Structure formats: C-alpha cells, structure tokens
Amino acid sequence: VISFFQPKLLAGKRLLITAGPTFEPIDPVRGITNRSSGKMGFAIARAAAEAGAQVTLVAGPVHLNTPRGVQRIDVQTAQQMHDAVLPRAAAHELFIATAAVADWRPAELSEHKIKKNGSKLAPTFELTENPDILAAVARLPAGQRPFCVGFAAESQDLVKHAREKLVRKNVELVVGNLGPATFGRDDNTLVLVDAQGQRELATADKLSLARELVREIAARLGTKTH
Ligand code: CTP
Ligand code: CA
C-alpha cells in the first residue's frame, strides 16, 4: 500500500541480486554452508521491485517466499551461483551481492555417504577456493559492467573491512553489517561505505532498511551513465 505512493526510483532499471547462503556438498548427506537467512537480500529484491526495477534474484537454499514480480533462480553451490550470474550480468544496470557465498568447497565430492566404519580417525577434507562472484562481475569490461554493490558481514572492524573490500573488489558501494548478532534477525544496522565516505543507517527492520538502501543506490545510479 505504501509503495504505491512512492516514486518509482528504479523505473526502467534491471537489477541482478544474489541472496542466501551457498551449500557445498561433501557427500550426499553432508555439506559446508554459511549462516545466512537470505532475509536482507529478499527484502532488497522486494524494495527494488516496488521501486519499479525488473529484478532477477539468484538465491541459495533459503526458506523464503519470492517477492511479487521478482524472477527467481534457485542454486545450491557457489559455482552454480557464479554460472547463473555471470552470463546475465551484462543485461543488468545494477548488481547487488548479498549472498553469503561459501569461500571454499570440498576438493572432491564423495558419491556415497562417508561412513564411520568403526575407524578411530576422523576424515580430513581438502578444500578448494570458490570463484568470487562479485569481483568477477566488477571485472567485466565497461559497457557490460553493471553498477556493483557488495555486502560485508563482519564480526569486528566493520568499516575498515568494508573499505578494504570496496577497493579490493573494485565496486561502487559496500554495505557493512556487524554480526553474528543480526544474522537471521528481522532487524539490522547497516553502514554504507563508498569512495565519498561512510554513512550509517539506523537500526530498523530489514524491509525499511532495504527501501532506504534502494533510495541510496538509486541516487548513486542516477549520477552515473552505464
Ligand atoms: N562474494 C561473492 N563471491 C564470493 C565471496 C564473496 O560474490 N565467492 C561477495 C558477497 O556476496 C559480498 C562480498 O563479496 O557481497 C563480500 O563477501 P565477504 O565474504 O564479506 O568477502 P570475502 O572477499 O569473501 O572476504 P572474507 O570472507 O575473507 O572476509
Ligand atoms: Ca567470504
């Protein structure tokens, strides 16, 4: 109801957004994952759709309903998320990476369940690094590269780490949040870090924050031509 009266700040814009965790299987019954409810990403997808954007949401395993009007692609692993995002990125003006992507995956996937078999020795797993989806999108050549927004969930030194990621991944904006207190909760506190400086968004429910974030991003997009 409220959104009906809001200006369509992202009218004509296409948003590609990742959300949720990824799940990296070890064997048919186990895997490695990250803590992420996907709530913030889904709230942003909803707020962007309300603001008139055409939204493609690439989601890891989460238990959330797809926001109205949003096209959703479900994936499980970081590699699948990467393969869903990269070919689509150039067709979008805006990319927002909210997913808590597993940084590593087991180097080998066991076809069958690994059994204890009375062994005293616990198994060890070799890990291999997953592709950095956000950094890969940000490396696309001009003309194919959307405006890029990253998230940084940190347990300490939030602004320092957020700024380091802004530079390392070469993105326009990094949104920081301090965890794990807020993970899975319905409210959150965010800090926006970009080349101009930093700005804190007061603690609020995730949908209110998402709407404020959409306003902040729309203002930045408006001053850039892609
Ligand atoms: N990200 C991504 N692909 C990855 C890892 C991270 O797209 N393989 C994105 C996240 O969605 C987020 C941003 O990069 O928008 C920062 O993620 P984060 O995990 O905080 O950064 P890392 O570079 O993985 O550094 P670290 O986990 O060591 O803090
Ligand atoms: Ca990481």
Side-chain angles (χ1 to χ4, degrees), residues 45-62:
R46 174 176 165 178
E50 286 173 354
Q54 192 182 309
V55 182
T56 309
L57 169 61
V58 180
V62 293

Side-chain angles (χ1 to χ4, degrees), residues 8 15 17-18 29 34 42 44 52 57 67 71 76 78 111 117 121-122 129 131 147 150 160 182 204-206:
K8 297 275 187 249
L15 163 65
I17 179 167
T18 64
V29 301
N34 277 358
F42 274 59
I44 295 169
L57 169 61
Q71 190 205 337
Q76 186 180 54
E111 191 189 340
N117 283 337
L121 285 177
E129 194 169 334
F147 185 97
K160 176 172 161 283
T182 60
D205 65 280
K206 287 182 178 174

